[in-house]
Amino acid sequence: MAIDIAIRIGGEGGEGVISSGDFLMQSAARAGFEVMTFKSFPAEIKGGYALSQVRFSDEKILSQGDGFDIVVCFNEEAYQINKRLLQPGKVLVYDGPGEFEIEPHAGVACYAIPMSHIAKSELGAYISKNMVAMGAVCELFGFPVESLKRSIHDKFIKKSQAVVDQNYAALDAGATYVRDHYGKDPTYSFPAARAAKNVIIVDGNQAIALGATTAGCRYLGAYPITPATSVGIYASKLFPKGDGYVYQAEDEIAGIASTIGASFAGTKAMTCTSGPGIDLKSEMVGLAAMAEIPVVIADIQRGGPSTGMPTQHEQSDLFICAHAAHGDTPRAVIAASNVEDCFYRTIDAFNLAEKYQMPVFLLSDAALSLQVEAMARPDLAKIKIVDRLRYKADGNGERYQRYKVTASGISPMSHPGDRGGTYCATGLQHQENSAPRTSADVCVTMNDKRWRKLDNLEAEIECATEGAAKAKVGIISWGLTQNAVREAMVRMRTEGMEVAALYPKLLFPVPVKAIEVFAARCTTLLLPEANYQGQFAQLIRAATGIDCVRQNIYRGEPFIPKEIIARVKELYA
Ligand code: COA
């Protein structure tokens, strides 16, 4: 029987909400199910509402879905936040009886499990409350408990065998309570494990680090910042296995400056940060563009402005990535939409940076950074890796022209130590041989040369599209929002609606041709994005004159499919 079940766990930061969701996800993936997670937690280390949701299915999961089927509430706050979503057919598992009162919920199966009491009084370890709850979940819904135990072992053995045993005991206690008081839930049950697929289970930030490694990146220089830090942490495990190096810099500027230096010296290099870090790195973006040094800058967006909401989703750094740095600074901006995309778009970012010798931004976001998916194991033989055009002395004694004017704007690059390849990498306006010069003809020629590199970018990374050849409503979306749109499209097309969708990966320069062709197919264009200003809608309008109906959310959470469907239906008549 096909399954599609979403379990949400809510509780206080510090109560092990995130670990519980991770255990469920790992166990289900190991048991052969498709999985996708959504996590949201406060910026505090302890306290505040934390949420972890795992969606399981037999089929490819396109988005986090519209909500949950089963909610496990570790405390009253979690119940209060989620109770309005408890419609008939859903299941509530909560800490009780006696911890807090719940209201009557018609058609909702409610299971009180004394999580706190069992953990404190019977097991003498309050921290294992989450595993009492997970034991109850396994027993109620037939979740593969042996697989869950393996996940518990793998995580907690680093603490000690006693911690592992304590958690096994908590699992058993939760399961025993359900057997003694309820039995199996009649609505939701997990089928037996199936053959494991050839997948790797990673989150968005891990996929970026894997993509960078695959692209040939051997240097990452960054300053820790939520939610980007784990790109560097994972890279620091991967890179040293080869000849790579991760440098935890003293600040954001040093992070990108060292990255530009590494690239100048001949190593594919990247930095990663979040919005506040882009503010600080801006001047260095200009240096990379002017000195024509390839560099990839991963921006894992978070809620802004200022320090804003460090752990919450927003798509509001598009303007700064498209415009960071003063003067006329060429760059490209690419956005990833899901975990697999984080891997492949990172490779695209390196390929563009290397080919065009310029800064390339890769946009992800807080929700995607933590989202875990089972992605198909990449076939490395099929992945195209592009390296920069290198200088080779031709032996005729001519002086090396680092910034030689070419039809494509790309000039051969030498590395320190290359015979005859000495030049000065400079942020000053310069002539072909790299010597500083500000004459009018040099200014015009060199600006034209640098900007010419953007002419063909649209052809390098094509937009995907789907839907009706003539659509009443066409949806343009970017980043994580594309997942909700993809699922919305499946549902709307099942209803026979004439809708279409365009999924740009390159956001800057705006893919003008693709947007114009798509606009000609559609009566009305809708552009949902998780920012206040309608940043991509504004860039599209500036580049094409085309106006999209804007659907903007800025509540710290990603779009869900049903709110996009609702807006399309309003426009559809
Ligand atoms: N037995 C033993 N230990 C357990 C356990 C159990 N049953 N369940 C959880 N734990 C441990 C976890 O291992 C973890 O410890 P570790 O970090 O040493 O591994 C700890 O308890 C917290 O559990 P976890 O499930 O990871 O998180 P949580 O759901 O309790 O939420 C966070 C805590 C994630 C919200 C919080 O710690 C955090 O990181 N907040 C964000 C901080 C941030 O980035 N701020 C922004 C700064 S700009």
Side-chain angles (χ1 to χ4, degrees), residues 459-479:
E460 298 270 5
I461 307 182
E462 286 174 13
C463 302
T465 182
E466 66 169 324
K470 282 283 172 202
K472 287 190 181 171
V473 179
I475 310 170
I476 302 175
S477 57
W478 65 277

Side-chain angles (χ1 to χ4, degrees), residues 8 62 65 151 171 179 226 238 252 256 263 286 365 374 393 432 452 496 498 503 514 541 549 553 564 567:
R8 175 176 294 185
L62 297 174
S151 301
L171 268 188
R179 271 195 300 276
T226 302
L238 293 175
E252 293 283 358
I256 187 168
S263 183
D365 65 76
E432 283 184 299
R452 216 161 34 242
E498 290 164 24
Y503 304 107
R541 187 176 174 184
V549 175
I553 59 166
I564 292 170
R567 189 71 185 107

Side-chain angles (χ1 to χ4, degrees), residues 11-23 40-52 74 126-131 155-156 159 163 166-167 170 225-227 302 307 310-311:
E12 187 178 282
E15 280 191 320
V17 171
I18 303 301
S19 302
S20 306
D22 287 351
F23 290 155
S40 173
F41 48 77
E44 292 76 30
I45 300 298
K46 196 163 175 6
Y49 174 61
L51 173 159
S52 179
F74 286 181
Y126 184 69
I127 187 72
S128 60
K129 164 183 172 177
N130 57 347
M131 292 305 119
K155 175 154 178 142
F156 292 135
K159 296 186 191 260
V163 174
Q166 177 191 29
N167 280 289
I225 180 169
T226 302
R302 61 195 229 179
T307 29
T311 57

